[in-house]
Amino acid sequence: MQHTISVLVENEFGVLSRVAGLFSGRGFNIDSVSVAPTNEEGMSRMTIVTRGDEQILEQINKQLNKLIDVIKVIDFTDGSGIEREMALIKVTAEDENRAEVLRIVDIFRAKIIDVTPKSYTIEATGNPVKVEAILDLLRPLGLKELVRTGAVTIGRGAKGWKG
Amino acid sequence: MKMNGARIMLECLKKEGVDTIFGYPGGTVINIYDELFGFKEIRHILPRHEQAGTHAADGYARATGRVGVCLATSGPGATNTVTGIATAYMDSIPMVIITGQVPTPLIGNDAFQEVDIIGITRPCTKHSFLVRDVKDLALIMKKAFYIARSGRPGPVLVDLPKDVQIAQTEFVYPETVEIRSYKPNLEGHPRQVEKAVAMMLDSHRPVMYVGGGAVLGNAADELTALARKLTIPVTTTLMGLGSFPENDPNSLGMLGMHGAYCANMAMTNSDLIIAIGARFDDRVTGKLGTFAPHAKIIHVDVDPTSIKKNVRVDLPIVGDVKDVLTKMIKQADKLKDKVAEFKTGLASWHGDIAGWKEKHPIGYKNSSTIIKPQFVIQKLRELSDADAIIATDVGQHQMWTAQFFQFNKPRTLLTSGGLGTMGYGLPAAMGAQAAFPGRQVITICGDGGVQMNIQEIATLVQNKLPVKIVILNNNFLGMVRQWQELFFDKRYSSTCMELPIDFVKLADAYGAKGFSTSKPGDVEKMIKQGFKEKGPVIMEFKIAREEKVLPMVPAGAALNEMVLNA
């Protein structure tokens, strides 16, 4: 089962390798990871999409908490989070395909951010399922290059992570 | 006062109460050594190899309960500490390792003797720091010691570039330290403790299963008090030996792969296991599917990751074992009638255990013509001081020591339990002897492991550390040979040492005393003679070559499927 975990970390030297090393060293999977600074000084936030049964997830949670630089671990598995991902997609667009690409972009409320006579580059944002869906439609037209940010997640409601 | 980084580092050690460090000089720590010259408050001991220095700091920490400190230069000096760090990490030993590093502008340039020691040791340290500004040094040292000794202890590495050692700043040592992302939970939840005591008093076949956490958490007295109050039998892991006196009638001795029959049977038949500072290692549980099939499990540990890692747990209690055990005693005291009733109800369980003890006690067949290693261990116990510190290496002699020495006090056994590091015993004994110059410190080794750090005899002689080195010599890598005998049709692939070593001459070469015998009748005399010597001594016993460690739970078998005689 897939799980999304947010990890608030001290923005210290080597913190990314500590988290990544924990996953590889203990045989946990990472499907995606994204990391950037937060509004709080010296604090970064990672969103990790991982998979495993309940026992593995409990270990991942505890092991992350055990790292000295980890401030808080939030598990969004119960659907309490809103998930978004961005994809930059370079797709072949020639002749009659050009109109088809535009239609798909329109349906998904995506944007064309670069254009050449032979290609479009698209920016698509949404939850990861939506990103998968637009990719499924564009793939037959010829994907030249794909960059995804991985999911980022925030909790629903008025409360921040501190409660 | 303004000082350079090297001096600040030493002042920090002084503030932390460090009296001894084990270190090896080199290019990137030469500034620290210059400051050490004439620095009277800290004793510096020069081992002959950085690995040994790290094990010595580890032995010092295990014997005293304080943080052990070692120092190495960058590059090869730093990589030589890795085995010692991993050994300490696996057994949760508080240590601070200081490594020199190339100057900050050169980091990443493949400079001479540069290595990314933070990266190399990341999986085997509790935490690590690269000091990039001398202004951060004092706070980092404070944090390093705090992290090393608090919560579940462990080794912390501080990598100190040469230019930071030279740079000057005002020295102010912080009084307190606060790390927002590190707050170990030390207090056991009172409701959980109440539930645990209720579960104990409802049980009929309880066992306390005690690990190294009880030793590290200085909880031996509380553990002993609770076990005696409730008359619950106690079995310990290798790391837990000494936390509960083995001469107590409720002691089952060690459990697991080479544990006592009664201990393994008690676990298998128990209806309640109270795990205290133990982590259900595979050498303890045997086959997980058949481990303690009838038992509920209470698990007390300061490290939440240990709980439910390998086995299901019915009642977890996260907290310092000393705190939790103290609360349990108080709770039991509130329930005097229930406790009396419970103790009466244990009669048949105690009867079962007595039966198992009688049926297959830990034993061996002695001989009048050839020295049995178990006999040497028993004689060592008989002839040594009650508070003698024993450091072992890894292998057969380690298991014989665990089975036959009888440990009654905590911190008297120093052994590499988790990592199983050959070469650990001699340098660990050296560290313990440096901490306790007046106590008897004995290292029990095999002829294989002792040769992995044999060079440290020089350090013992030079520093007047009178460690007694007992070598049980079977001219084999005995434990692997035993596996080859039992599971690989006696195909002794590369386990025979072939070349016999003259350990008496070797001792002589280092300026130590050496004795050797192959006669059972001489064992007692030689031990007495060795113990009488003022300096370090090698006592070599040429033992029965193919003696096995028994009983044995074969790897992957259930705990109650022990090989008793093979």
Side-chain angles (χ1 to χ4, degrees):
Chain A
M1 191 184 161
Q2 216 174 38
H3 296 255
T4 305
I5 300 170
S6 276
V7 191
L8 288 133
V9 296
E10 294 287 355
N11 203 353
E12 293 277 356
F13 163 83
V15 66
L16 184 60
S17 73
R18 286 182 205 279
V19 173
L22 170 68
F23 275 76
S24 59
R26 295 198 177 261
F28 305 143
N29 293 298
I30 297 183
D31 287 353
S32 77
V33 57
S34 78
V35 55
T38 67
N39 57 320
E40 286 184 57
E41 176 99 22
M43 195 188 288
S44 288
R45 180 158 170 157
M46 309 175 77
T47 309
I48 300 172
V49 179
T50 180
R51 60 181 71 231
D53 60 23
E54 202 181 318
Q55 194 228 348
I56 289 176
L57 253 289
E58 187 177 330
Q59 268 299 310
I60 291 176
N61 226 298
K62 287 172 167 179
Q63 293 287 357
L64 282 168
N65 267 306
K66 190 172 162 178
L67 292 177
I68 306 290
D69 285 335
V70 169
I71 298 161
K72 192 175 169 70
V73 180
I74 311 164
D75 189 347
F76 285 112
T77 305
D78 53 2
S80 58
I82 308 163
E83 228 175 350
R84 288 293 179 270
E85 181 177 11
M86 185 165 82
L88 302 181
I89 311 155
K90 197 171 284 185
V91 63
T92 312
E94 288 177 275
D95 309 328
E96 69 274 24
N97 272 358
R98 292 183 80 82
E100 177 62 7
V101 171
L102 286 180
R103 272 196 295 277
I104 294 169
V105 165
D106 192 40
I107 292 165
F108 281 87
R109 278 178 278 171
K111 270 194 279 187
I112 306 284
I113 53 172
D114 189 35
V115 59
T116 73
K118 294 183 171 179
S119 72
Y120 282 131
T121 301
I122 301 159
E123 172 194 323
T125 311
N127 67 39
V129 178
K130 178 180 158 185
V131 173
E132 281 298 337
I134 189 172
L135 287 173
D136 285 345
L137 290 170
L138 291 172
R139 200 166 280 118
L141 305 178
L143 280 191
K144 293 160 87 80
E145 194 175 345
L146 170 66
V147 189
R148 299 174 69 163
T149 58
V152 290
T153 307
I154 196 164
R156 289 183 189 279
K159 283 182 185 161
W161 66 270
K162 287 177 180 165
Chain B
M1 203 172 76
K2 269 206 159 171
M3 299 176 188
N4 65 26
R7 179 75 187 202
I8 288 174
M9 208 274 294
L10 295 181
E11 294 292 337
C12 292
L13 295 181
K14 205 170 92 184
K15 289 273 187 192
E16 289 295 332
V18 175
D19 56 13
T20 309
I21 64 174
F22 303 87
Y24 208 102
T28 59
V29 287
I30 198 163
N31 299 83
I32 296 174
Y33 275 86
D34 191 54
E35 292 295 333
L36 257 174
F37 196 74
F39 195 90
K40 295 226 164 42
E41 291 92 335
I42 294 174
R43 180 185 191 191
H44 178 272
I45 293 178
L46 174 74
R48 267 34 177 188
H49 191 295
E50 290 92 346
Q51 182 194 349
T54 320
H55 289 323
D58 169 308
Y60 177 99
R62 289 188 208 228
T64 61
R66 300 205 294 269
V67 179
V69 181
C70 59
L71 172 62
T73 193
S74 62
T79 54
N80 276 345
T81 66
V82 173
T83 301
I85 297 172
T87 304
Y89 184 70
M90 283 292 268
D91 291 342
S92 309
I93 305 306
M95 259 169 53
V96 169
I97 304 96
I98 297 151
T99 48
Q101 182 55 279
V102 301
T104 41
L106 289 183
I107 289 177
N109 285 8
D110 300 324
F112 176 65
Q113 293 194 329
E114 181 190 357
V115 80
D116 173 15
I117 194 63
I118 299 260
I120 288 172
T121 58
R122 191 198 46 73
C124 61
T125 47
K126 185 171 174 186
H127 198 56
S128 48
F129 295 95
L130 171 64
V131 188
R132 289 196 280 195
D133 186 334
V134 71
K135 292 191 189 74
D136 302 333
L137 178 56
L139 181 60
I140 285 176
M141 290 298 286
K142 182 87 185 173
K143 283 183 180 174
F145 275 85
Y146 169 62
I147 292 170
R149 71 161 75 90
S150 59
R152 180 177 182 174
V156 177
L157 186 136
V158 179
D159 201 21
L160 192 56
K162 190 177 166 86
D163 55 329
V164 179
Q165 296 169 33
I166 296 167
Q168 300 235 342
T169 192
E170 203 67 33
F171 173 61
V172 186
Y173 202 61
E175 291 292 315
T176 55
V177 63
E178 156 89 20
I179 305 173
R180 66 174 164 176
S181 55
Y182 174 69
K183 299 205 165 24
N185 184 6
L186 300 178
E187 306 213 350
H189 196 282
R191 278 287 302 141
Q192 295 291 88
V193 172
E194 276 174 35
K195 276 191 210 163
V197 173
M199 279 169 78
M200 287 184 218
L201 298 182
D202 280 341
S203 69
H204 304 285
R205 299 187 304 279
V207 185
M208 284 189 174
Y209 149 58
V210 180
V215 177
L216 296 167
N218 298 314
D221 289 347
E222 291 76 10
L223 167 72
T224 307
L226 182 68
R228 284 183 176 159
K229 186 180 287 287
L230 301 180
T231 65
I232 296 179
V234 179
T235 179
T236 73
T237 66
L238 177 64
M239 297 305 299
L241 285 172
S243 60
F244 186 75
E246 288 196 278
N247 55 11
D248 187 288
N250 275 320
S251 169
L252 304 175
M254 184 175 76
L255 81 166
M257 182 173 269
H258 294 296
Y261 177 78
C262 66
N264 288 346
M265 290 304 282
M267 291 294 274
T268 304
N269 289 282
S270 165
D271 67 350
L272 179 70
I273 289 170
I274 306 127
I276 296 165
R279 58 186 176 87
F280 295 89
D281 179 79
D282 54 275
R283 287 294 189 265
V284 156
T285 60
K287 190 161 87 188
L288 274 175
T290 53
F291 174 70
H294 317 293
K296 288 197 167 164
I297 295 176
I298 298 171
H299 194 169
V300 183
D301 206 296
V302 75
D303 178 3
T305 66
S306 287
I307 298 174
K308 294 192 207 167
K309 187 174 67 181
N310 300 336
V311 299
R312 74 207 141 70
V313 168
D314 299 279
L315 185 78
I317 306 180
V318 176
D320 176 55
V321 288
K322 193 184 184 88
D323 174 79
V324 174
L325 287 166
T326 306
K327 285 176 178 157
M328 284 178 169
I329 293 169
K330 278 195 189 140
Q331 177 64 13
D333 283 343
K334 284 188 210 156
L335 306 166
K336 285 229 158 59
D337 295 348
K338 192 103 211 281
V339 168
E341 192 191 324
F342 163 75
K343 281 160 73 176
T344 321
L346 288 187
S348 89
W349 179 231
H350 284 145
D352 291 347
I353 286 170
W356 291 320
K357 276 188 182 174
E358 203 183 301
K359 192 171 169 200
H360 295 293
I362 289 272
Y364 67 102
K365 220 173 144 212
N366 210 351
S367 158
S368 59
T369 53
I370 190 153
I371 299 177
K372 288 299 186 91
Q374 302 94 330
F375 173 68
V376 178
I377 307 273
Q378 284 178 329
K379 281 287 160 195
L380 284 169
R381 169 76 290 180
E382 197 184 306
L383 300 169
S384 62
D385 299 341
D387 70 345
I389 296 170
I390 307 299
T392 78
D393 232 274
V394 168
Q396 285 186 310
H397 68 277
Q398 179 190 32
M399 291 298 111
W400 285 319
T401 303
Q403 291 177 334
F404 291 94
F405 192 82
Q406 198 176 79
F407 291 92
N408 298 319
K409 289 175 193 292
R411 300 190 182 280
T412 53
L413 170 63
L414 321 177
T415 194
S416 168
L419 196 68
T421 308
M422 283 174 73
Y424 172 81
L426 174 48
M430 179 168 99
Q433 188 80 77
F436 296 107
R439 267 169 80 179
Q440 204 171 40
V441 180
I442 304 162
T443 175
I444 301 174
C445 301
D447 54 303
V450 78
Q451 292 188 66
M452 285 200 178
N453 269 315
I454 194 84
Q455 76 286 347
E456 297 309 319
I457 299 173
T459 317
L460 297 179
V461 173
Q462 182 185 322
N463 292 281
K464 300 190 169 53
L465 300 169
V467 170
K468 309 302 176 217
I469 304 160
V470 173
I471 302 173
L472 300 178
N473 187 353
N474 53 12
N475 211 239
F476 269 126
L477 298 174
M479 187 59 98
V480 180
R481 186 211 61 76
Q482 172 171 339
W483 282 52
Q484 288 171 336
E485 177 187 332
L486 294 174
F487 312 119
F488 293 88
D489 294 331
K490 296 199 177 188
R491 289 152 58 85
Y492 294 165
S493 179
S494 295
T495 44
C496 181
M497 303 297 271
E498 290 175 22
L499 181 74
I501 304 293
D502 188 333
F503 284 106
V504 174
K505 271 193 191 155
L506 186 83
D508 193 44
Y510 281 112
K513 272 266 161 54
F515 305 104
S516 177
T517 183
S518 54
K519 297 192 193 79
D522 289 347
V523 168
E524 182 163 336
K525 194 175 70 191
M526 209 176 89
I527 292 174
K528 282 181 174 165
Q529 201 177 359
F531 283 175
K532 238 187 279 167
E533 286 292 330
K534 289 225 166 17
V537 177
I538 285 185
M539 291 178 251
E540 181 201 22
F541 300 91
K542 294 179 175 160
I543 59 163
R545 293 197 67 203
E546 301 196 30
E547 187 72 11
K548 283 191 288 292
V549 180
L550 291 171
M552 176 176 192
V553 179
L559 265 194
N560 58 347
E561 295 168 359
M562 275 164 281
V563 178
L564 294 157
N565 317 285

